[in-house]
Amino acid sequence: TIYLRLPLTLAIIDGFLIGVGDAQYVVPLDMVAECREFTDSDAELAMTKNCINLRGTALPCVHLRNYFGRSDPPTRRQNIVVVRFGARKAGLIVDHLMGQLQTVIKPLSPIFGNVRGVSGSTILGSGKVALILDIPSLVQYAGEREISQLSLSHNNWLDSKDNKSIILRTVH
């Protein structure tokens, strides 16, 4: 008889594997709403407004490359993974969409407890470690950045001489 003891802190989740440079991350699959190509018009909006236009709605976004301080250059073709938490959505800008997988997650040690945007880690079949993204905190971060940008845009509008119109957006 062979006994295998697993710590209670281990769990298996369905995930979606994404890549930024040579780093890999797992997004819980039940929080992925859709994936789409990151276009040049998306890039312009994301750079200036921290959001993209998703079918006529402003979607706050996070460049995972910048968020995690990666220095490698982006790939020529990037993608947006639209994630949701409750009624709120955000776009994660990534280099690679690698597909669905089931993975065993392990919580981070207490030393890394204050790292925002990461909820755990896993070891992939290749032996590489992938971080599991904390989607609620990333959605909150994206929303905070969009609100901050709206505030800046509003102040710029008040200071401008061309104040004939203003565009109002609802942030959820």
Side-chain angles (χ1 to χ4, degrees), residues 9-11 13 24-28 68 103-110 112-124 129-138:
T9 57
L10 290 178
I13 63 164
Q24 296 175 346
Y25 304 94
V26 176
V27 177
F68 288 112
T103 186
V104 176
I105 61 173
K106 180 73 175 149
L108 297 173
S109 73
F112 301 106
N114 294 330
V115 176
R116 187 175 185 183
V118 178
S119 62
S121 63
T122 188
I123 298 175
L124 302 173
V129 174
L131 296 176
I132 298 171
L133 299 181
D134 179 8
I135 299 305
S137 71
L138 288 171

PDB file of all heavy atoms in Angstrom, residues 9-11 13 24-28 68 103-110 112-124 129-138:
ATOM      1  N   THR A   9      -3.385  22.855   1.796  1.00  0.00           N
ATOM      2  CA  THR A   9      -3.276  24.131   1.094  1.00  0.00           C
ATOM      3  C   THR A   9      -3.216  23.954  -0.417  1.00  0.00           C
ATOM      4  O   THR A   9      -3.204  24.926  -1.138  1.00  0.00           O
ATOM      5  CB  THR A   9      -2.022  24.897   1.559  1.00  0.00           C
ATOM      6  OG1 THR A   9      -0.874  24.071   1.333  1.00  0.00           O
ATOM      7  CG2 THR A   9      -2.129  25.279   3.022  1.00  0.00           C
ATOM      8  N   LEU A  10      -3.158  22.734  -0.893  1.00  0.00           N
ATOM      9  CA  LEU A  10      -3.131  22.497  -2.331  1.00  0.00           C
ATOM     10  C   LEU A  10      -4.548  22.428  -2.886  1.00  0.00           C
ATOM     11  O   LEU A  10      -5.454  21.905  -2.244  1.00  0.00           O
ATOM     12  CB  LEU A  10      -2.406  21.192  -2.658  1.00  0.00           C
ATOM     13  CG  LEU A  10      -0.904  21.175  -2.433  1.00  0.00           C
ATOM     14  CD1 LEU A  10      -0.354  19.795  -2.756  1.00  0.00           C
ATOM     15  CD2 LEU A  10      -0.216  22.210  -3.289  1.00  0.00           C
ATOM     16  N   ALA A  11      -4.727  22.936  -4.075  1.00  0.00           N
ATOM     17  CA  ALA A  11      -6.021  22.867  -4.749  1.00  0.00           C
ATOM     18  C   ALA A  11      -5.764  22.769  -6.241  1.00  0.00           C
ATOM     19  O   ALA A  11      -4.708  23.165  -6.731  1.00  0.00           O
ATOM     20  CB  ALA A  11      -6.852  24.096  -4.428  1.00  0.00           C
ATOM     21  N   ILE A  13      -7.185  23.911  -9.983  1.00  0.00           N
ATOM     22  CA  ILE A  13      -8.102  24.826 -10.661  1.00  0.00           C
ATOM     23  C   ILE A  13      -7.979  24.650 -12.168  1.00  0.00           C
ATOM     24  O   ILE A  13      -6.955  24.194 -12.675  1.00  0.00           O
ATOM     25  CB  ILE A  13      -7.819  26.308 -10.313  1.00  0.00           C
ATOM     26  CG1 ILE A  13      -6.422  26.733 -10.795  1.00  0.00           C
ATOM     27  CG2 ILE A  13      -8.013  26.587  -8.856  1.00  0.00           C
ATOM     28  CD1 ILE A  13      -6.226  28.238 -10.850  1.00  0.00           C
ATOM     29  N   GLN A  24       5.476  33.058 -17.588  1.00  0.00           N
ATOM     30  CA  GLN A  24       4.143  32.503 -17.790  1.00  0.00           C
ATOM     31  C   GLN A  24       3.296  32.735 -16.549  1.00  0.00           C
ATOM     32  O   GLN A  24       3.792  32.690 -15.425  1.00  0.00           O
ATOM     33  CB  GLN A  24       4.243  31.016 -18.120  1.00  0.00           C
ATOM     34  CG  GLN A  24       4.969  30.792 -19.434  1.00  0.00           C
ATOM     35  CD  GLN A  24       5.186  29.325 -19.744  1.00  0.00           C
ATOM     36  OE1 GLN A  24       5.033  28.467 -18.891  1.00  0.00           O
ATOM     37  NE2 GLN A  24       5.541  29.045 -20.980  1.00  0.00           N
ATOM     38  N   TYR A  25       2.007  32.984 -16.787  1.00  0.00           N
ATOM     39  CA  TYR A  25       1.059  33.274 -15.721  1.00  0.00           C
ATOM     40  C   TYR A  25      -0.208  32.463 -15.965  1.00  0.00           C
ATOM     41  O   TYR A  25      -0.538  32.144 -17.104  1.00  0.00           O
ATOM     42  CB  TYR A  25       0.705  34.765 -15.699  1.00  0.00           C
ATOM     43  CG  TYR A  25       1.911  35.669 -15.574  1.00  0.00           C
ATOM     44  CD1 TYR A  25       2.525  36.198 -16.706  1.00  0.00           C
ATOM     45  CD2 TYR A  25       2.450  35.968 -14.330  1.00  0.00           C
ATOM     46  CE1 TYR A  25       3.645  37.023 -16.601  1.00  0.00           C
ATOM     47  CE2 TYR A  25       3.570  36.788 -14.214  1.00  0.00           C
ATOM     48  CZ  TYR A  25       4.157  37.306 -15.353  1.00  0.00           C
ATOM     49  OH  TYR A  25       5.267  38.109 -15.242  1.00  0.00           O
ATOM     50  N   VAL A  26      -0.911  32.177 -14.885  1.00  0.00           N
ATOM     51  CA  VAL A  26      -2.174  31.439 -14.985  1.00  0.00           C
ATOM     52  C   VAL A  26      -3.294  32.351 -14.495  1.00  0.00           C
ATOM     53  O   VAL A  26      -3.193  32.958 -13.430  1.00  0.00           O
ATOM     54  CB  VAL A  26      -2.130  30.144 -14.144  1.00  0.00           C
ATOM     55  CG1 VAL A  26      -3.478  29.434 -14.172  1.00  0.00           C
ATOM     56  CG2 VAL A  26      -1.027  29.215 -14.633  1.00  0.00           C
ATOM     57  N   VAL A  27      -4.350  32.433 -15.292  1.00  0.00           N
ATOM     58  CA  VAL A  27      -5.560  33.164 -14.929  1.00  0.00           C
ATOM     59  C   VAL A  27      -6.628  32.114 -14.644  1.00  0.00           C
ATOM     60  O   VAL A  27      -6.837  31.214 -15.467  1.00  0.00           O
ATOM     61  CB  VAL A  27      -6.033  34.080 -16.086  1.00  0.00           C
ATOM     62  CG1 VAL A  27      -7.322  34.779 -15.728  1.00  0.00           C
ATOM     63  CG2 VAL A  27      -4.954  35.070 -16.463  1.00  0.00           C
ATOM     64  N   PRO A  28      -7.309  32.176 -13.489  1.00  0.00           N
ATOM     65  CA  PRO A  28      -8.408  31.233 -13.257  1.00  0.00           C
ATOM     66  C   PRO A  28      -9.417  31.307 -14.412  1.00  0.00           C
ATOM     67  O   PRO A  28      -9.890  32.389 -14.774  1.00  0.00           O
ATOM     68  CB  PRO A  28      -9.023  31.713 -11.945  1.00  0.00           C
ATOM     69  CG  PRO A  28      -7.881  32.406 -11.243  1.00  0.00           C
ATOM     70  CD  PRO A  28      -7.101  33.069 -12.353  1.00  0.00           C
ATOM     71  N   PHE A  68       4.571  43.933 -13.938  1.00  0.00           N
ATOM     72  CA  PHE A  68       5.560  43.071 -13.295  1.00  0.00           C
ATOM     73  C   PHE A  68       6.993  43.523 -13.557  1.00  0.00           C
ATOM     74  O   PHE A  68       7.939  42.821 -13.210  1.00  0.00           O
ATOM     75  CB  PHE A  68       5.357  41.611 -13.712  1.00  0.00           C
ATOM     76  CG  PHE A  68       4.134  40.985 -13.110  1.00  0.00           C
ATOM     77  CD1 PHE A  68       3.048  40.645 -13.892  1.00  0.00           C
ATOM     78  CD2 PHE A  68       4.053  40.761 -11.748  1.00  0.00           C
ATOM     79  CE1 PHE A  68       1.910  40.075 -13.340  1.00  0.00           C
ATOM     80  CE2 PHE A  68       2.922  40.200 -11.175  1.00  0.00           C
ATOM     81  CZ  PHE A  68       1.849  39.856 -11.976  1.00  0.00           C
ATOM     82  N   THR A 103      -4.346  22.902 -13.164  1.00  0.00           N
ATOM     83  CA  THR A 103      -3.090  23.063 -12.449  1.00  0.00           C
ATOM     84  C   THR A 103      -3.303  22.982 -10.949  1.00  0.00           C
ATOM     85  O   THR A 103      -4.371  23.327 -10.442  1.00  0.00           O
ATOM     86  CB  THR A 103      -2.419  24.395 -12.839  1.00  0.00           C
ATOM     87  OG1 THR A 103      -1.139  24.460 -12.248  1.00  0.00           O
ATOM     88  CG2 THR A 103      -3.226  25.588 -12.406  1.00  0.00           C
ATOM     89  N   VAL A 104      -2.285  22.501 -10.275  1.00  0.00           N
ATOM     90  CA  VAL A 104      -2.287  22.467  -8.815  1.00  0.00           C
ATOM     91  C   VAL A 104      -1.722  23.796  -8.351  1.00  0.00           C
ATOM     92  O   VAL A 104      -0.648  24.212  -8.789  1.00  0.00           O
ATOM     93  CB  VAL A 104      -1.415  21.306  -8.288  1.00  0.00           C
ATOM     94  CG1 VAL A 104      -1.338  21.340  -6.765  1.00  0.00           C
ATOM     95  CG2 VAL A 104      -1.959  19.974  -8.774  1.00  0.00           C
ATOM     96  N   ILE A 105      -2.454  24.479  -7.480  1.00  0.00           N
ATOM     97  CA  ILE A 105      -1.973  25.775  -7.002  1.00  0.00           C
ATOM     98  C   ILE A 105      -1.427  25.635  -5.593  1.00  0.00           C
ATOM     99  O   ILE A 105      -1.889  24.814  -4.805  1.00  0.00           O
ATOM    100  CB  ILE A 105      -3.060  26.868  -7.044  1.00  0.00           C
ATOM    101  CG1 ILE A 105      -4.251  26.505  -6.166  1.00  0.00           C
ATOM    102  CG2 ILE A 105      -3.508  27.126  -8.458  1.00  0.00           C
ATOM    103  CD1 ILE A 105      -5.260  27.625  -6.037  1.00  0.00           C
ATOM    104  N   LYS A 106      -0.436  26.416  -5.340  1.00  0.00           N
ATOM    105  CA  LYS A 106       0.172  26.471  -4.011  1.00  0.00           C
ATOM    106  C   LYS A 106       0.224  27.926  -3.596  1.00  0.00           C
ATOM    107  O   LYS A 106       0.718  28.775  -4.335  1.00  0.00           O
ATOM    108  CB  LYS A 106       1.583  25.878  -4.070  1.00  0.00           C
ATOM    109  CG  LYS A 106       2.314  25.878  -2.766  1.00  0.00           C
ATOM    110  CD  LYS A 106       1.774  24.850  -1.814  1.00  0.00           C
ATOM    111  CE  LYS A 106       2.636  24.828  -0.556  1.00  0.00           C
ATOM    112  NZ  LYS A 106       1.921  24.476   0.611  1.00  0.00           N
ATOM    113  N   PRO A 107      -0.307  28.253  -2.419  1.00  0.00           N
ATOM    114  CA  PRO A 107      -0.251  29.644  -1.963  1.00  0.00           C
ATOM    115  C   PRO A 107       1.194  30.108  -1.793  1.00  0.00           C
ATOM    116  O   PRO A 107       2.091  29.300  -1.544  1.00  0.00           O
ATOM    117  CB  PRO A 107      -0.971  29.621  -0.615  1.00  0.00           C
ATOM    118  CG  PRO A 107      -1.682  28.322  -0.545  1.00  0.00           C
ATOM    119  CD  PRO A 107      -0.991  27.385  -1.474  1.00  0.00           C
ATOM    120  N   LEU A 108       1.399  31.392  -1.906  1.00  0.00           N
ATOM    121  CA  LEU A 108       2.723  31.957  -1.687  1.00  0.00           C
ATOM    122  C   LEU A 108       3.038  31.958  -0.201  1.00  0.00           C
ATOM    123  O   LEU A 108       2.139  32.023   0.640  1.00  0.00           O
ATOM    124  CB  LEU A 108       2.776  33.387  -2.231  1.00  0.00           C
ATOM    125  CG  LEU A 108       2.569  33.525  -3.735  1.00  0.00           C
ATOM    126  CD1 LEU A 108       2.476  35.000  -4.105  1.00  0.00           C
ATOM    127  CD2 LEU A 108       3.689  32.860  -4.490  1.00  0.00           C
ATOM    128  N   SER A 109       4.305  31.920   0.119  1.00  0.00           N
ATOM    129  CA  SER A 109       4.691  31.965   1.531  1.00  0.00           C
ATOM    130  C   SER A 109       4.367  33.346   2.097  1.00  0.00           C
ATOM    131  O   SER A 109       4.185  34.305   1.346  1.00  0.00           O
ATOM    132  CB  SER A 109       6.182  31.664   1.673  1.00  0.00           C
ATOM    133  OG  SER A 109       6.948  32.757   1.223  1.00  0.00           O
ATOM    134  N   PRO A 110       4.295  33.467   3.412  1.00  0.00           N
ATOM    135  CA  PRO A 110       3.952  34.755   4.034  1.00  0.00           C
ATOM    136  C   PRO A 110       4.885  35.901   3.636  1.00  0.00           C
ATOM    137  O   PRO A 110       4.482  37.061   3.660  1.00  0.00           O
ATOM    138  CB  PRO A 110       4.062  34.461   5.532  1.00  0.00           C
ATOM    139  CG  PRO A 110       3.836  32.991   5.652  1.00  0.00           C
ATOM    140  CD  PRO A 110       4.408  32.392   4.406  1.00  0.00           C
ATOM    141  N   PHE A 112       5.754  36.713   0.747  1.00  0.00           N
ATOM    142  CA  PHE A 112       5.204  37.325  -0.460  1.00  0.00           C
ATOM    143  C   PHE A 112       3.729  37.687  -0.300  1.00  0.00           C
ATOM    144  O   PHE A 112       3.046  37.965  -1.277  1.00  0.00           O
ATOM    145  CB  PHE A 112       5.372  36.384  -1.651  1.00  0.00           C
ATOM    146  CG  PHE A 112       6.795  36.035  -1.925  1.00  0.00           C
ATOM    147  CD1 PHE A 112       7.285  34.764  -1.612  1.00  0.00           C
ATOM    148  CD2 PHE A 112       7.648  36.956  -2.483  1.00  0.00           C
ATOM    149  CE1 PHE A 112       8.598  34.441  -1.861  1.00  0.00           C
ATOM    150  CE2 PHE A 112       8.973  36.646  -2.729  1.00  0.00           C
ATOM    151  CZ  PHE A 112       9.449  35.379  -2.414  1.00  0.00           C
ATOM    152  N   GLY A 113       3.231  37.686   0.914  1.00  0.00           N
ATOM    153  CA  GLY A 113       1.814  37.926   1.171  1.00  0.00           C
ATOM    154  C   GLY A 113       1.312  39.283   0.709  1.00  0.00           C
ATOM    155  O   GLY A 113       0.134  39.435   0.416  1.00  0.00           O
ATOM    156  N   ASN A 114       2.184  40.275   0.642  1.00  0.00           N
ATOM    157  CA  ASN A 114       1.756  41.623   0.253  1.00  0.00           C
ATOM    158  C   ASN A 114       1.966  41.926  -1.224  1.00  0.00           C
ATOM    159  O   ASN A 114       1.822  43.071  -1.637  1.00  0.00           O
ATOM    160  CB  ASN A 114       2.489  42.673   1.102  1.00  0.00           C
ATOM    161  CG  ASN A 114       2.079  42.591   2.558  1.00  0.00           C
ATOM    162  OD1 ASN A 114       0.956  42.218   2.866  1.00  0.00           O
ATOM    163  ND2 ASN A 114       2.991  42.928   3.447  1.00  0.00           N
ATOM    164  N   VAL A 115       2.317  40.938  -2.019  1.00  0.00           N
ATOM    165  CA  VAL A 115       2.514  41.156  -3.449  1.00  0.00           C
ATOM    166  C   VAL A 115       1.149  41.258  -4.108  1.00  0.00           C
ATOM    167  O   VAL A 115       0.371  40.303  -4.136  1.00  0.00           O
ATOM    168  CB  VAL A 115       3.345  40.025  -4.094  1.00  0.00           C
ATOM    169  CG1 VAL A 115       3.454  40.214  -5.591  1.00  0.00           C
ATOM    170  CG2 VAL A 115       4.723  39.950  -3.463  1.00  0.00           C
ATOM    171  N   ARG A 116       0.845  42.436  -4.628  1.00  0.00           N
ATOM    172  CA  ARG A 116      -0.459  42.676  -5.245  1.00  0.00           C
ATOM    173  C   ARG A 116      -0.485  42.072  -6.649  1.00  0.00           C
ATOM    174  O   ARG A 116       0.454  42.224  -7.415  1.00  0.00           O
ATOM    175  CB  ARG A 116      -0.704  44.183  -5.325  1.00  0.00           C
ATOM    176  CG  ARG A 116      -2.092  44.543  -5.788  1.00  0.00           C
ATOM    177  CD  ARG A 116      -2.309  46.026  -5.724  1.00  0.00           C
ATOM    178  NE  ARG A 116      -3.683  46.340  -6.064  1.00  0.00           N
ATOM    179  CZ  ARG A 116      -4.155  47.562  -6.148  1.00  0.00           C
ATOM    180  NH1 ARG A 116      -3.381  48.589  -5.904  1.00  0.00           N
ATOM    181  NH2 ARG A 116      -5.414  47.770  -6.474  1.00  0.00           N
ATOM    182  N   GLY A 117      -1.560  41.403  -6.973  1.00  0.00           N
ATOM    183  CA  GLY A 117      -1.739  40.853  -8.310  1.00  0.00           C
ATOM    184  C   GLY A 117      -1.385  39.385  -8.436  1.00  0.00           C
ATOM    185  O   GLY A 117      -1.583  38.789  -9.482  1.00  0.00           O
ATOM    186  N   VAL A 118      -0.853  38.775  -7.379  1.00  0.00           N
ATOM    187  CA  VAL A 118      -0.453  37.369  -7.425  1.00  0.00           C
ATOM    188  C   VAL A 118      -1.098  36.651  -6.249  1.00  0.00           C
ATOM    189  O   VAL A 118      -0.998  37.096  -5.107  1.00  0.00           O
ATOM    190  CB  VAL A 118       1.083  37.218  -7.359  1.00  0.00           C
ATOM    191  CG1 VAL A 118       1.492  35.758  -7.364  1.00  0.00           C
ATOM    192  CG2 VAL A 118       1.748  37.951  -8.507  1.00  0.00           C
ATOM    193  N   SER A 119      -1.755  35.517  -6.542  1.00  0.00           N
ATOM    194  CA  SER A 119      -2.419  34.785  -5.460  1.00  0.00           C
ATOM    195  C   SER A 119      -1.762  33.452  -5.153  1.00  0.00           C
ATOM    196  O   SER A 119      -2.062  32.843  -4.138  1.00  0.00           O
ATOM    197  CB  SER A 119      -3.894  34.549  -5.797  1.00  0.00           C
ATOM    198  OG  SER A 119      -4.012  33.758  -6.955  1.00  0.00           O
ATOM    199  N   GLY A 120      -0.876  32.983  -6.013  1.00  0.00           N
ATOM    200  CA  GLY A 120      -0.230  31.704  -5.775  1.00  0.00           C
ATOM    201  C   GLY A 120       0.737  31.383  -6.891  1.00  0.00           C
ATOM    202  O   GLY A 120       1.071  32.236  -7.721  1.00  0.00           O
ATOM    203  N   SER A 121       1.176  30.138  -6.898  1.00  0.00           N
ATOM    204  CA  SER A 121       2.106  29.695  -7.934  1.00  0.00           C
ATOM    205  C   SER A 121       1.790  28.250  -8.297  1.00  0.00           C
ATOM    206  O   SER A 121       1.031  27.572  -7.604  1.00  0.00           O
ATOM    207  CB  SER A 121       3.550  29.819  -7.439  1.00  0.00           C
ATOM    208  OG  SER A 121       3.749  28.964  -6.323  1.00  0.00           O
ATOM    209  N   THR A 122       2.385  27.806  -9.375  1.00  0.00           N
ATOM    210  CA  THR A 122       2.228  26.421  -9.798  1.00  0.00           C
ATOM    211  C   THR A 122       3.467  26.015 -10.576  1.00  0.00           C
ATOM    212  O   THR A 122       4.191  26.873 -11.096  1.00  0.00           O
ATOM    213  CB  THR A 122       0.958  26.233 -10.658  1.00  0.00           C
ATOM    214  OG1 THR A 122       0.757  24.832 -10.882  1.00  0.00           O
ATOM    215  CG2 THR A 122       1.056  26.944 -11.988  1.00  0.00           C
ATOM    216  N   ILE A 123       3.708  24.728 -10.647  1.00  0.00           N
ATOM    217  CA  ILE A 123       4.794  24.210 -11.473  1.00  0.00           C
ATOM    218  C   ILE A 123       4.146  23.566 -12.692  1.00  0.00           C
ATOM    219  O   ILE A 123       3.297  22.673 -12.569  1.00  0.00           O
ATOM    220  CB  ILE A 123       5.665  23.193 -10.708  1.00  0.00           C
ATOM    221  CG1 ILE A 123       6.304  23.894  -9.506  1.00  0.00           C
ATOM    222  CG2 ILE A 123       6.728  22.604 -11.629  1.00  0.00           C
ATOM    223  CD1 ILE A 123       7.101  22.987  -8.601  1.00  0.00           C
ATOM    224  N   LEU A 124       4.542  24.067 -13.864  1.00  0.00           N
ATOM    225  CA  LEU A 124       3.973  23.575 -15.118  1.00  0.00           C
ATOM    226  C   LEU A 124       4.603  22.235 -15.491  1.00  0.00           C
ATOM    227  O   LEU A 124       5.628  21.837 -14.929  1.00  0.00           O
ATOM    228  CB  LEU A 124       4.207  24.604 -16.226  1.00  0.00           C
ATOM    229  CG  LEU A 124       3.632  25.994 -15.954  1.00  0.00           C
ATOM    230  CD1 LEU A 124       4.068  26.976 -17.028  1.00  0.00           C
ATOM    231  CD2 LEU A 124       2.106  25.932 -15.876  1.00  0.00           C
ATOM    232  N   VAL A 129       8.061  27.527 -13.280  1.00  0.00           N
ATOM    233  CA  VAL A 129       7.112  28.045 -12.303  1.00  0.00           C
ATOM    234  C   VAL A 129       6.283  29.137 -12.964  1.00  0.00           C
ATOM    235  O   VAL A 129       6.820  29.995 -13.669  1.00  0.00           O
ATOM    236  CB  VAL A 129       7.849  28.612 -11.073  1.00  0.00           C
ATOM    237  CG1 VAL A 129       6.876  29.296 -10.121  1.00  0.00           C
ATOM    238  CG2 VAL A 129       8.616  27.511 -10.357  1.00  0.00           C
ATOM    239  N   ALA A 130       4.989  29.101 -12.762  1.00  0.00           N
ATOM    240  CA  ALA A 130       4.093  30.143 -13.260  1.00  0.00           C
ATOM    241  C   ALA A 130       3.364  30.744 -12.062  1.00  0.00           C
ATOM    242  O   ALA A 130       2.977  30.030 -11.138  1.00  0.00           O
ATOM    243  CB  ALA A 130       3.082  29.562 -14.251  1.00  0.00           C
ATOM    244  N   LEU A 131       3.220  32.051 -12.076  1.00  0.00           N
ATOM    245  CA  LEU A 131       2.465  32.727 -11.031  1.00  0.00           C
ATOM    246  C   LEU A 131       0.982  32.697 -11.388  1.00  0.00           C
ATOM    247  O   LEU A 131       0.611  32.850 -12.554  1.00  0.00           O
ATOM    248  CB  LEU A 131       2.932  34.171 -10.880  1.00  0.00           C
ATOM    249  CG  LEU A 131       4.376  34.361 -10.419  1.00  0.00           C
ATOM    250  CD1 LEU A 131       4.737  35.841 -10.396  1.00  0.00           C
ATOM    251  CD2 LEU A 131       4.597  33.732  -9.054  1.00  0.00           C
ATOM    252  N   ILE A 132       0.152  32.530 -10.382  1.00  0.00           N
ATOM    253  CA  ILE A 132      -1.294  32.556 -10.581  1.00  0.00           C
ATOM    254  C   ILE A 132      -1.758  33.964 -10.239  1.00  0.00           C
ATOM    255  O   ILE A 132      -1.470  34.479  -9.156  1.00  0.00           O
ATOM    256  CB  ILE A 132      -1.991  31.504  -9.711  1.00  0.00           C
ATOM    257  CG1 ILE A 132      -1.482  30.120 -10.129  1.00  0.00           C
ATOM    258  CG2 ILE A 132      -3.508  31.608  -9.841  1.00  0.00           C
ATOM    259  CD1 ILE A 132      -1.911  29.001  -9.239  1.00  0.00           C
ATOM    260  N   LEU A 133      -2.424  34.601 -11.191  1.00  0.00           N
ATOM    261  CA  LEU A 133      -2.816  36.000 -11.029  1.00  0.00           C
ATOM    262  C   LEU A 133      -4.035  36.140 -10.126  1.00  0.00           C
ATOM    263  O   LEU A 133      -4.972  35.340 -10.185  1.00  0.00           O
ATOM    264  CB  LEU A 133      -3.095  36.621 -12.393  1.00  0.00           C
ATOM    265  CG  LEU A 133      -1.905  36.649 -13.359  1.00  0.00           C
ATOM    266  CD1 LEU A 133      -2.300  37.299 -14.673  1.00  0.00           C
ATOM    267  CD2 LEU A 133      -0.719  37.362 -12.740  1.00  0.00           C
ATOM    268  N   ASP A 134      -4.001  37.170  -9.306  1.00  0.00           N
ATOM    269  CA  ASP A 134      -5.103  37.528  -8.423  1.00  0.00           C
ATOM    270  C   ASP A 134      -5.980  38.520  -9.188  1.00  0.00           C
ATOM    271  O   ASP A 134      -5.736  39.720  -9.191  1.00  0.00           O
ATOM    272  CB  ASP A 134      -4.543  38.157  -7.145  1.00  0.00           C
ATOM    273  CG  ASP A 134      -5.622  38.580  -6.169  1.00  0.00           C
ATOM    274  OD1 ASP A 134      -6.809  38.261  -6.395  1.00  0.00           O
ATOM    275  OD2 ASP A 134      -5.275  39.257  -5.180  1.00  0.00           O
ATOM    276  N   ILE A 135      -6.977  38.001  -9.865  1.00  0.00           N
ATOM    277  CA  ILE A 135      -7.806  38.817 -10.748  1.00  0.00           C
ATOM    278  C   ILE A 135      -8.566  39.908  -9.998  1.00  0.00           C
ATOM    279  O   ILE A 135      -8.618  41.050 -10.467  1.00  0.00           O
ATOM    280  CB  ILE A 135      -8.749  37.931 -11.590  1.00  0.00           C
ATOM    281  CG1 ILE A 135      -7.916  36.990 -12.477  1.00  0.00           C
ATOM    282  CG2 ILE A 135      -9.699  38.768 -12.427  1.00  0.00           C
ATOM    283  CD1 ILE A 135      -6.906  37.684 -13.379  1.00  0.00           C
ATOM    284  N   PRO A 136      -9.146  39.652  -8.824  1.00  0.00           N
ATOM    285  CA  PRO A 136      -9.829  40.753  -8.127  1.00  0.00           C
ATOM    286  C   PRO A 136      -8.921  41.965  -7.885  1.00  0.00           C
ATOM    287  O   PRO A 136      -9.331  43.106  -8.107  1.00  0.00           O
ATOM    288  CB  PRO A 136     -10.280  40.116  -6.807  1.00  0.00           C
ATOM    289  CG  PRO A 136     -10.461  38.670  -7.153  1.00  0.00           C
ATOM    290  CD  PRO A 136      -9.364  38.374  -8.138  1.00  0.00           C
ATOM    291  N   SER A 137      -7.685  41.737  -7.478  1.00  0.00           N
ATOM    292  CA  SER A 137      -6.800  42.884  -7.218  1.00  0.00           C
ATOM    293  C   SER A 137      -6.356  43.553  -8.520  1.00  0.00           C
ATOM    294  O   SER A 137      -6.193  44.771  -8.563  1.00  0.00           O
ATOM    295  CB  SER A 137      -5.592  42.481  -6.374  1.00  0.00           C
ATOM    296  OG  SER A 137      -4.696  41.683  -7.102  1.00  0.00           O
ATOM    297  N   LEU A 138      -6.184  42.787  -9.606  1.00  0.00           N
ATOM    298  CA  LEU A 138      -5.818  43.397 -10.890  1.00  0.00           C
ATOM    299  C   LEU A 138      -6.971  44.208 -11.466  1.00  0.00           C
ATOM    300  O   LEU A 138      -6.754  45.281 -12.046  1.00  0.00           O
ATOM    301  CB  LEU A 138      -5.354  42.331 -11.887  1.00  0.00           C
ATOM    302  CG  LEU A 138      -3.985  41.719 -11.603  1.00  0.00           C
ATOM    303  CD1 LEU A 138      -3.723  40.536 -12.524  1.00  0.00           C
ATOM    304  CD2 LEU A 138      -2.888  42.763 -11.732  1.00  0.00           C
TER     305      LEU A 138
END
